[in-house]
Amino acid sequence: QVHLVESGGGLVQAGGSLTLSCVASVRDFSEFSMGWLRQAPGKEREFVADITWTGGRAFYADFAEGRFTISRDNAKNTVYLQMNSLKPEDTARYYCATGLGDTAQDYDNWGQGTQVTVFP
């Protein structure tokens, strides 16, 4: 069982930046690939980015490419999502999860999420 806790969300003006963090309570964090997904009200949960267990490969949704960066620090059991040039349409609850892939079904352990609100 992996316990995940996200933080770093908040209210930001369009064009601004936020960095989300996700800390995992698990012995062998370095064995887990990780992803970030998001869910806006009334919408399905959608893939944002994922990163392999070594951090050697990252993959992004089209809307995240060039604006968001996923990274990890296995010594700190933490995965990050740096978000730049934020847009109002990025408003959602952001979740980290263990797994790899571009659908919510590719992931199993989930955090409680952190809310990101981008105003014009």
Side-chain angles (χ1 to χ4, degrees):
Q1 186 70 21
V2 181
H3 183 60
L4 302 171
V5 179
E6 301 95 334
S7 62
L11 187 66
V12 63
Q13 191 170 20
S17 299
L18 283 174
T19 299
L20 308 184
S21 300
C22 170
V23 178
S25 297
V26 65
R27 179 181 297 180
D28 300 314
F29 176 71
S30 61
E31 295 184 1
F32 291 87
S33 294
M34 299 293 297
W36 284 96
L37 297 92
R38 69 184 188 183
Q39 189 166 21
K43 294 189 176 181
E44 303 260 327
R45 194 165 295 190
E46 65 175 349
F47 170 76
V48 177
D50 66 12
I51 188 166
T52 53
W53 61 279
T54 63
R57 184 200 71 82
F59 184 74
Y60 298 89
D62 287 346
F63 66 81
E65 189 75 53
R67 297 191 299 130
F68 295 2
T69 302
I70 189 171
S71 62
R72 66 189 295 159
D73 184 340
N74 287 342
K76 296 182 178 180
N77 279 24
T78 302
V79 60
Y80 303 96
L81 185 69
Q82 170 71 41
M83 304 186 295
N84 298 324
S85 302
L86 283 162
K87 305 174 182 179
E89 52 263 44
D90 294 319
T91 295
R93 193 163 188 85
Y94 284 71
Y95 299 87
C96 67
T98 57
L100 197 70
D102 61 0
T103 72
Q105 289 70 34
D106 293 318
Y107 297 86
D108 34 40
N109 301 288
W110 295 83
Q112 83 290 345
T114 186
Q115 179 66 35
V116 172
T117 303
V118 185
F119 63 93

